[in-house]
Amino acid sequence: VGERERPSAELLSIGSELLLGETVDTNAAFLGRELARLGLPLTGVQQLPDDRAVLARAFAAARTRSDVVLATGGLGPTHDDLSREGLADALGEELREDASLRARLEERFRAFGRMPSSNLRQALLVPSAEPLDNPIGSAPGWWVDRDEAVTALMPGVPSEMRLMWAEQVRPHLERRFPLAPLAIRTVKAFGIGESAAAERLGNVLSNPPDGIDAGIYARDDGIHVRFTTTGDAALLEPLVVRARTALGEDAYGTDAHDLATTALAALGRAGAETLATWEADTAGALLAILASAEPADGAARFVGGMLDAGGAAAAPVADAVLQLSLLPQDANGRSRVRVSLAGRATIPMTELRIHGSGPQRLRRAAFAALDLLRRKL
Amino acid sequence: VGERERPSAELLSIGSELLLGETVDTNAAFLGRELARLGLPLTGVQQLPDDRAVLARAFAAARTRSDVVLATGGLGPTHDDLSREGLADALGEELREDASLRARLEERFRAFGRMPSSNLRQALLVPSAEPLDNPIGSAPGWWVDRDEAVTALMPGVPSEMRLMWAEQVRPHLERRFPLAPLAIRTVKAFGIGESAAAERLGNVLSNPPDGIDAGIYARDDGIHVRFTTTGDAALLEPLVVRARTALGEDAYGTDAHDLATTALAALGRAGAETLATWEADTAGALLAILASAEPADGAARFVGGMLDAGGAAAAPVADAVLQLSLLPQDANGRSRVRVSLAGRATIPMTELRIHGSGPQRLRRAAFAALDLLRRKL
């Protein structure tokens, strides 16, 4: 394992509720993004049931294959939570109660009243494991560095996992391995298809300079063109400029820029300090996107929105009101939206084609309205 | 394989974008739910990269372990889409262009102009594969039934996968295997913790009748108590009644009932036909939940909502206005919300404790407000 050039990592997502589809595994996507940026990209993810023997085999096999094995979930207090047992079996070590972990658990529960005896399972440790503190939950994590393979157990609750990752597991990994972090730049465009964008980009996409990877992805908020390198991040800048130029006015931003903040900034420049919305037949897709937009200096502020027939009665008070309605699908399953803006900034009623189906179609409708704002103001 | 009593299933989620965290694997949760109900629960899920050799090994190993191997993704037209190649290698069969698949692809592209030559890869098939029609996309699926193991390839685009699953893969599986579908009943409660709920439920949860499984899960919208059986669904009804009784007024519904529709129904009974909201510091969590609530006869209709300071100026016109504000966290990281209802139905200002952190805390705040409506009206 120690002789490979670049350390390899895999993830075990533990919990029968994942396999039953009761929970969507957002932890895997979060850790996938983080590990890619750290220069330790995931080679595989497995979702596994709460079954001690299955977990023991999975930990043992993963520790043979990969330098780093991360696991989330199965650290709760109930008899279903078997990640500790599974890893202990894979290591051939015995679980023992750790006095300082027990003291910390009892301290934590003092504020809430008596500690249920089942929580004592969370004070168990094997000799080669170092505990990872969980400041916002009862489940401590484990860090095991043995036989040139590292294994980390983290809680399944996303907020607890993310904090433990950022404060403990990631710094541990950075100290333990020589890592070449991945620099990532993204150019985003709306109103152009994936293959048309690829044609316009030409060599920038199909034949980037040595040491740089380029890719193109279709998303609800448009096309994302992504450049990555484990080398000097500054090498990506000329590619970003070329991509923006090639995509012309379809390009709306880079990296963390999103369509909502881009549209709100355009409104601000056009003299509107506040925006309200009135949407029909989109199940509040526009509301949901605007409500979570980050506020920015000089940009219009989203103050709320009305749905369907409600908008006629409510007449929201804002400098500008954006109206969106989804029109019925045509015989070929294609959809159009009708968009207009009234108030201190105006856009006459415009019909736009949108792609996709299901909930995706509703989000695309909302993004098409936001795209029209940033283009026309 | 044929001798096992109950067929086993596993899923391969294919695409490097999953491992990089660019895409959250919602397909796995959807198929997990569907397969559990079908009586063919998943024993494992793997996320795999777009790597022909890795995929070939994964397909071969999965076909040895499991009666049914489902795969999503990797059926697009580009050179990164290698699910066809991976499965062909695992089967030891050769890919050949299928004349009728090619004709169908050309027909599909006629409406859009010329077909890019790369799409011809989507007309490839191996001799033992039967194509699965994709009425809303260019990627056909595959159904392979060989050596007593079934493998199905489906597209990664969720809407295409769901349609192909419902119209083709699921019916194929139902014909192919003797399946005992799983009946599921859920009782939902808000305002009670997981362990307190478990204590109140006692034997109903810890010792259900033979052939029935019981479980308890903490969700943003409260506690879900879940009873399942592969036997007679009617056997679950007395357990649902006992659980509702044990949970008392904390129980708010069963199965598909959710807090938003329950609260809107209570408002309707209290004489309000329309509801608007005004929320502060919750990033529109209440809006997002209410906007996607299903309309129901006699229930109030959500007409829209205002955010933060915007609410003061906007004064939405509705029979009832629900106000929610998230208060700052205390020294122990605990949060409270302030909730009130004004208009044709009223609830005086009430402060409530909420649990959780991050985005979860915002959703919990919104659900706490909806819970107050259904309790107090």
Side-chain angles (χ1 to χ4, degrees):
Chain A
V1 168
E3 283 173 53
R4 285 193 218 126
E5 287 219 346
R6 184 186 194 171
S8 61
E10 62 183 284
L11 172 66
L12 310 183
S13 293
I14 296 168
S16 295
E17 75 278 12
L18 296 169
L19 294 168
L20 291 168
E22 305 281 333
T23 308
V24 175
D25 188 8
T26 55
N27 287 341
F30 172 83
L31 289 169
R33 269 193 310 277
E34 288 283 310
L35 287 160
R37 279 159 180 70
L38 198 58
L40 194 58
L42 281 174
T43 56
V45 175
Q46 290 176 74
Q47 293 180 0
L48 298 165
D50 299 309
D51 178 314
R52 182 169 180 161
V54 170
L55 294 177
R57 279 197 302 272
F59 274 116
R63 285 175 49 85
T64 311
R65 274 191 304 260
S66 300
D67 303 286
V68 176
V69 179
L70 300 179
T72 58
L75 297 182
T78 77
H79 66 280
D80 284 350
D81 293 297
L82 294 167
S83 296
R84 286 174 290 258
E85 284 75 3
L87 179 53
D89 292 350
L91 295 166
E93 297 189 27
E94 253 180 59
L95 289 162
R96 285 177 235 165
E97 188 175 290
D98 180 88
S100 81
L101 278 183
R102 177 173 180 153
R104 246 187 286 178
L105 270 171
E106 282 169 346
E107 171 63 30
R108 178 180 163 76
F109 274 91
R110 204 153 295 151
F112 301 99
R114 104 197 133 79
M115 176 168 83
S117 61
S118 58
N119 282 87
L120 279 180
R121 304 190 54 235
Q122 299 182 310
L124 295 174
L125 215 57
V126 293
S128 67
E130 171 192 336
L132 302 172
D133 193 35
N134 181 344
I136 58 172
S138 64
W142 285 18
W143 172 269
V144 176
D145 189 348
R146 214 195 71 181
D147 311 327
E148 300 192 49
V150 159
T151 306
L153 303 184
M154 293 182 281
V157 177
S159 54
E160 298 177 22
M161 183 279 288
R162 288 176 188 220
L163 192 65
M164 191 177 285
W165 163 257
E167 295 193 343
Q168 298 179 80
V169 178
R170 187 175 59 199
H172 266 72
L173 290 171
E174 287 170 327
R175 278 193 300 271
R176 175 65 173 74
F177 297 98
L179 298 171
L182 189 73
I184 303 179
R185 297 294 312 274
T186 305
V187 176
K188 302 179 184 175
F190 196 91
I192 182 172
E194 192 171 347
S195 45
E199 254 172 57
R200 279 210 231 154
L201 291 161
N203 272 336
V204 187
L205 181 66
S206 59
N207 193 20
D210 277 353
I212 295 179
D213 284 329
I216 185 165
Y217 308 91
R219 295 281 179 266
D220 288 350
D221 66 348
I223 292 296
H224 292 197
V225 184
R226 196 163 166 277
F227 302 103
T228 60
T229 182
T230 52
D232 182 2
L235 296 175
L236 302 181
E237 186 57 30
L239 293 171
V240 166
V241 172
R242 282 172 63 196
R244 288 202 77 145
T245 308
L247 294 168
E249 68 174 15
D250 291 328
Y252 65 81
T254 55
D255 307 317
H257 288 125
D258 61 50
L259 263 178
T261 48
T262 306
L264 290 167
L267 271 165
R269 285 192 303 274
E273 286 177 24
T274 54
L275 171 72
T277 55
W278 177 13
E279 60 192 303
D281 299 314
T282 49
L286 189 53
L287 274 183
I289 291 164
L290 282 166
S292 53
E294 293 289 329
D297 281 348
R301 196 160 38 81
F302 176 60
V303 295
M306 294 293 142
L307 297 181
D308 303 313
V317 180
D319 291 347
V321 176
L322 175 64
Q323 276 196 43
L324 165 68
S325 39
L326 184 65
L327 304 179
Q329 286 179 295
D330 70 14
N332 294 316
R334 297 187 204 161
S335 301
R336 299 179 75 80
V337 288
R338 195 173 282 154
V339 185
S340 64
L341 182 72
R344 213 176 282 179
T346 61
I347 297 174
M349 191 183 292
T350 308
E351 285 200 7
L352 301 167
R353 197 45 211 284
I354 55 160
H355 298 270
S357 53
Q360 191 193 31
R361 194 169 59 104
L362 306 181
R363 280 172 58 81
R364 291 260 173 94
F367 284 122
L370 296 171
D371 183 61
L372 189 74
L373 287 190
R374 67 104 195 164
R375 278 177 195 263
K376 298 294 178 192
L377 291 178
Chain B
V1 168
E3 282 173 53
R4 283 192 219 127
E5 288 218 344
R6 183 186 193 172
S8 61
E10 63 183 283
L11 172 66
L12 310 183
S13 293
I14 297 168
S16 295
E17 75 279 12
L18 296 169
L19 295 168
L20 290 168
E22 304 282 333
T23 309
V24 174
D25 187 7
T26 55
N27 288 342
F30 172 82
L31 288 170
R33 268 192 312 274
E34 288 283 310
L35 287 160
R37 280 159 181 70
L38 199 58
L40 194 59
L42 282 173
T43 56
V45 175
Q46 289 177 75
Q47 292 180 2
L48 299 165
D50 299 309
D51 178 314
R52 182 171 180 158
V54 169
L55 294 178
R57 278 197 302 274
F59 274 115
R63 285 176 48 84
T64 311
R65 275 191 304 259
S66 300
D67 304 284
V68 176
V69 178
L70 300 178
T72 58
L75 298 183
T78 77
H79 66 279
D80 284 350
D81 293 298
L82 294 166
S83 296
R84 286 172 292 258
E85 284 76 3
L87 179 54
D89 292 351
L91 294 167
E93 298 188 27
E94 253 180 62
L95 289 163
R96 287 178 234 161
E97 188 176 291
D98 180 89
S100 82
L101 279 182
R102 178 172 181 153
R104 245 185 286 179
L105 271 171
E106 282 169 346
E107 171 62 29
R108 178 180 163 77
F109 274 90
R110 204 152 295 150
F112 301 101
R114 106 198 130 80
M115 177 168 82
S117 61
S118 58
N119 282 85
L120 279 181
R121 304 190 55 235
Q122 299 182 311
L124 295 174
L125 214 56
V126 293
S128 67
E130 169 192 337
L132 302 171
D133 192 36
N134 181 346
I136 57 172
S138 63
W142 285 18
W143 173 268
V144 175
D145 189 348
R146 212 195 75 180
D147 313 326
E148 301 193 48
V150 159
T151 306
L153 303 184
M154 293 181 281
V157 176
S159 54
E160 298 176 24
M161 183 278 289
R162 289 175 187 220
L163 192 64
M164 192 177 286
W165 163 257
E167 295 193 344
Q168 298 180 79
V169 180
R170 189 174 58 197
H172 267 72
L173 289 171
E174 286 170 329
R175 278 193 299 272
R176 175 65 173 74
F177 296 99
L179 298 171
L182 190 71
I184 304 180
R185 297 293 312 274
T186 305
V187 176
K188 302 179 183 174
F190 196 92
I192 183 172
E194 192 172 345
S195 46
E199 255 174 56
R200 278 209 231 154
L201 290 162
N203 273 335
V204 185
L205 182 67
S206 60
N207 193 21
D210 277 353
I212 295 177
D213 284 329
I216 186 165
Y217 308 91
R219 296 281 178 265
D220 289 351
D221 66 349
I223 292 297
H224 292 196
V225 184
R226 196 163 165 278
F227 302 104
T228 59
T229 184
T230 52
D232 182 3
L235 295 174
L236 302 180
E237 186 57 30
L239 294 171
V240 167
V241 172
R242 282 172 62 194
R244 288 202 78 147
T245 307
L247 293 168
E249 67 175 14
D250 291 328
Y252 66 81
T254 55
D255 307 316
H257 289 126
D258 61 49
L259 263 177
T261 49
T262 306
L264 290 167
L267 271 165
R269 284 192 302 273
E273 286 178 22
T274 54
L275 171 72
T277 55
W278 178 15
E279 61 191 305
D281 298 314
T282 48
L286 188 55
L287 274 182
I289 291 164
L290 281 166
S292 52
E294 293 291 329
D297 281 347
R301 196 161 38 81
F302 177 61
V303 295
M306 294 294 141
L307 297 181
D308 304 316
V317 179
D319 292 347
V321 177
L322 175 63
Q323 275 198 46
L324 165 68
S325 39
L326 183 66
L327 305 179
Q329 287 179 296
D330 70 15
N332 294 315
R334 297 187 203 159
S335 302
R336 300 179 74 79
V337 287
R338 196 173 280 156
V339 185
S340 64
L341 183 72
R344 213 177 282 179
T346 61
I347 296 174
M349 190 184 292
T350 308
E351 286 201 5
L352 300 168
R353 204 30 219 290
I354 56 160
H355 298 269
S357 54
Q360 191 193 33
R361 195 168 59 103
L362 306 181
R363 280 173 57 80
R364 290 261 173 95
F367 283 122
L370 296 171
D371 184 60
L372 190 74
L373 287 190
R374 67 103 194 165
R375 277 176 195 265
K376 298 292 180 195
L377 291 178

